[in-house]
Amino acid sequence: STSSVLSEDKDKSSASKDSTPEGAAKEGGAETPMQKLLDVIGDMKVEVSYRKKLQQLKASENKKQAMNKLEGPDSENSQGITEDTQRGKPLNPELVKAASAVASSLPHNKKQTESELLAQLRRHEETTDKQKKRGTLNIRNVISEMTIKKQSPAQRGVRLSGRISLQLDEDDQRIRRERSLAQPMDSRSLKVGKRLNIFTKASTEPEHALKTVSSPTIWDLEFAKEVAAVTAQPPRNGFEEMIQWTKEGILWEFPIDNEVGMEDDAEFHEHIFLEKHLEGFPKEGPIRHFMELVICGLSKNPYLSVKQKVEHIEWFQNYFEEKKELLQEI
Amino acid sequence: MAAAALCWALSAARQVLPSPCPRQVRSYYVDWRMLRDVKRRKLAYEHADERLRINAIRKNSILPKELQEVADKEIAALPRDSCPVRIRNRCVLTSRPRGVKRRWRLSRIVFRHFADHAQMSGVQRAMW
């Protein structure tokens, strides 16, 4: 199962790498993208079926045997190097570093993964260089070149199907396999899908910021109203009618809450002891007498909120201040 | 001026009800008297607090009389339609000023019409 897992890993990592030529997984951002990668791999592992696992085990065993035939990892590395020289294009050193970092972080055969990652990068560079319309042919060439590594065609087929038909149940395997082989490899193309932002710092995505319009236009409101009017079907029975009425506010909610709509957060002492609001008034005289009566009345009033009572007293304060000259004549 | 009043009445009367149930939708007031009554109610609501406070100063035996006279003049200066006495409880459907039952806000004729067609909940012909 390791080989197929690694192949999927390569797909994702190389896809993101390919789209971002900078590529270098820096230490600061390496942890969370690495976690993301591992999560992605973990998710992918779950979806692989048991039958696939068997085939993949077989494939991995055969591959290991093939590798063993090639006298160990040194010759493999040399093969990788010879492949590099054959292709004739030097890979971006940052990409190489990134590949080594990824390989070191993954808990599998490090050198093998590194070499495989580099080979995948090579392949992808080739495909991007050539025209994308001919992607199928390029990939087929690439696949045929894979025989250099001495893989049998059966393993190749298994690998392909393992790459493509990940999300299938065991029932759909046969049908999908034919379709997948018939279709070009770009059915799971690289540029499609949301970016994982593993190898680049997530650009703040001004697109999303633009989309959140602060003031919805009139046309949006009208459209929303239209949609609501169309989707709101007439009630099929009495229960739905009652639900609709409750939403509109015609029917109360049961059990009846006596304090619906009343959000008075003030304590009782704020309603009753209103003398502290009387500081703006003179301490003696008929006005004070009058205001004390007003306060007495307000403290007994259960219908007004504290805010309204305070406004009441302030109105009187303003009124008497305006009439001060008149009062002083008296 | 009439056109402006009409536009105001239309905007005041129109309510957006996106409900599919086929209710009778009335987008105009029944007649101009009903409209005037609506205006009076609105103004009375707006000036209710002021009127209450000025009247509290007026109907007072503690404060000096000069102050009360000034308050008299102030309350007379408020718009005439702001006093609640001018509101008339008209029938909601026909705008009839007389014979209106307060509980249903309907005139006696409309009430009888609906009750006989069994469209008044809990209302039955009396027989004893």
Side-chain angles (χ1 to χ4, degrees):
Chain A
S1 64
T2 56
S3 61
S4 64
V5 168
L6 288 169
S7 65
E8 286 118 30
D9 165 34
K10 270 183 281 171
D11 262 340
K12 285 279 172 183
S13 61
S14 52
S16 48
K17 273 184 205 166
D18 194 19
S19 52
T20 63
E22 300 167 355
K26 290 170 190 172
E27 289 177 354
E31 289 177 355
T32 45
M34 214 45 63
Q35 278 176 8
K36 272 190 207 173
L37 232 183
L38 290 171
D39 291 338
V40 163
I41 294 161
D43 291 339
M44 279 197 268
K45 271 186 187 171
V46 171
E47 288 163 340
V48 172
S49 66
Y50 181 63
R51 198 169 156 192
K52 279 279 142 266
K53 275 185 192 169
L54 280 177
Q55 286 177 349
Q56 282 150 16
L57 275 172
K58 281 185 196 171
S60 65
E61 281 175 6
N62 289 335
K63 202 184 168 190
K64 277 181 189 170
Q65 286 172 8
M67 285 301 142
N68 288 331
K69 283 177 196 170
L70 297 172
E71 300 167 2
D74 292 333
S75 59
E76 189 192 86
N77 265 341
S78 64
Q79 258 206 356
I81 291 163
T82 51
E83 276 183 17
D84 288 343
T85 52
Q86 275 176 12
R87 303 296 159 86
K89 258 192 203 170
L91 270 177
N92 206 348
E94 290 179 357
L95 285 175
V96 173
K97 275 185 204 170
S100 59
V102 168
S104 59
S105 68
L106 288 173
H108 291 298
N109 208 352
K110 289 179 188 177
K111 286 187 181 173
Q112 194 180 358
T113 54
E114 194 180 332
S115 60
E116 282 175 354
L117 282 170
L118 290 171
Q120 194 74 11
L121 282 172
R122 177 116 303 122
R123 266 178 249 136
H124 282 295
E125 278 201 24
E126 278 191 9
T127 54
T128 49
D129 286 341
K130 294 172 188 176
Q131 290 179 15
K132 288 180 185 176
K133 288 177 190 174
R134 299 179 199 166
T136 56
L137 300 173
N138 281 333
I139 288 161
R140 294 221 173 119
N141 290 334
V142 163
I143 291 161
S144 65
E145 277 172 352
M146 273 166 67
T147 50
I148 293 166
K149 276 192 180 178
K150 296 186 184 176
Q151 278 184 354
S152 59
Q155 287 166 20
R156 203 199 316 154
V158 164
R159 247 191 157 193
L160 278 178
S161 57
R163 223 185 266 174
I164 291 169
S165 62
L166 266 185
Q167 297 155 3
L168 298 176
D169 297 329
E170 294 188 0
D171 300 329
D172 296 333
Q173 265 181 4
R174 285 177 202 167
I175 304 162
R176 278 291 178 93
R177 217 188 264 175
E178 290 165 4
R179 266 197 226 162
S180 64
L181 287 178
Q183 277 175 3
M185 288 290 287
D186 287 336
S187 61
R188 282 255 247 116
S189 60
L190 304 165
K191 309 282 180 178
V192 166
K194 199 185 169 187
R195 278 198 188 184
L196 289 174
N197 278 323
I198 292 175
F199 294 104
T200 40
K201 292 174 190 176
S203 58
T204 48
E205 296 185 25
E207 309 165 5
H208 288 286
L210 284 172
K211 275 174 195 173
T212 57
V213 181
S214 57
S215 61
T217 61
I218 298 170
W219 304 115
D220 292 337
L221 290 170
E222 284 298 319
F223 181 65
K225 278 183 200 171
E226 262 186 59
V227 165
V230 166
T231 53
Q233 296 299 319
R236 295 175 296 181
N237 51 36
F239 291 115
E240 291 197 2
E241 200 182 26
M242 282 202 277
I243 291 167
Q244 203 177 346
W245 284 347
T246 311
K247 281 182 194 166
E248 287 175 25
I250 297 169
L251 202 60
W252 284 348
E253 286 179 6
F254 296 96
I256 290 177
D257 183 17
N258 277 323
E259 292 175 11
V260 167
M262 215 171 75
E263 289 173 12
D264 208 5
D265 303 325
E267 300 287 315
F268 72 98
H269 56 85
E270 288 175 45
H271 277 95
I272 292 170
F273 303 114
L274 297 161
E275 280 173 8
K276 57 184 173 178
H277 302 292
L278 275 191
E279 285 163 11
F281 292 94
K283 290 199 180 177
E284 286 177 354
I287 296 178
R288 183 80 185 189
H289 189 27
F290 173 73
M291 287 316 295
E292 279 174 8
L293 286 173
V294 167
I295 276 168
C296 179
L298 282 178
S299 67
K300 293 182 189 176
N301 190 336
Y303 301 108
L304 296 179
S305 67
V306 174
K307 235 188 178 182
Q308 286 169 321
K309 291 182 186 178
V310 169
E311 275 175 18
H312 199 86
I313 296 169
E314 279 175 6
W315 185 91
F316 275 113
Q317 201 169 2
N318 289 333
Y319 184 81
F320 287 128
E321 274 181 20
E322 283 171 17
K323 312 291 168 186
K324 252 187 185 176
E325 303 139 4
L326 190 78
L327 293 169
Q328 275 154 13
E329 283 174 26
I330 304 162
Chain B
M1 189 180 119
L6 186 64
C7 291
W8 181 88
L10 282 174
S11 62
R14 198 174 295 134
Q15 277 184 13
V16 179
L17 290 171
S19 62
C21 293
R23 290 179 201 150
Q24 243 184 344
V25 176
R26 289 179 178 78
S27 50
Y28 298 93
Y29 286 115
V30 179
D31 54 6
W32 290 92
R33 283 171 290 175
M34 193 189 238
L35 211 180
R36 278 183 267 147
D37 197 55
V38 168
K39 275 197 257 181
R40 280 180 204 129
R41 283 169 194 264
K42 263 202 173 171
L43 275 181
Y45 182 80
E46 284 165 21
H47 295 276
D49 295 334
E50 283 178 41
R51 287 194 95 96
L52 174 75
R53 289 155 189 170
I54 297 172
N55 269 328
I57 293 172
R58 282 172 67 220
K59 314 284 179 179
N60 220 329
S61 53
I62 308 163
L63 295 174
K65 287 187 185 176
E66 292 84 1
L67 198 61
Q68 286 170 3
E69 283 163 23
V70 169
D72 283 340
K73 286 177 200 169
E74 274 199 8
I75 202 167
L78 286 174
R80 202 168 265 194
D81 275 349
S82 67
C83 61
V85 191
R86 292 187 120 221
I87 295 169
R88 181 80 196 185
N89 291 328
R90 288 176 165 271
C91 169
V92 164
L93 293 179
T94 52
S95 181
R96 198 160 192 274
R98 296 191 174 97
V100 180
K101 290 308 279 179
R102 212 172 201 184
R103 183 174 168 183
W104 296 277
R105 301 180 187 175
L106 291 177
S107 84
R108 56 180 178 83
I109 305 159
V110 179
F111 175 81
R112 241 177 76 94
H113 176 268
F114 283 133
D116 286 342
H117 287 76
Q119 287 165 4
M120 296 292 276
S121 171
V123 174
Q124 198 189 20
R125 277 192 159 257
M127 193 165 40
W128 72 97

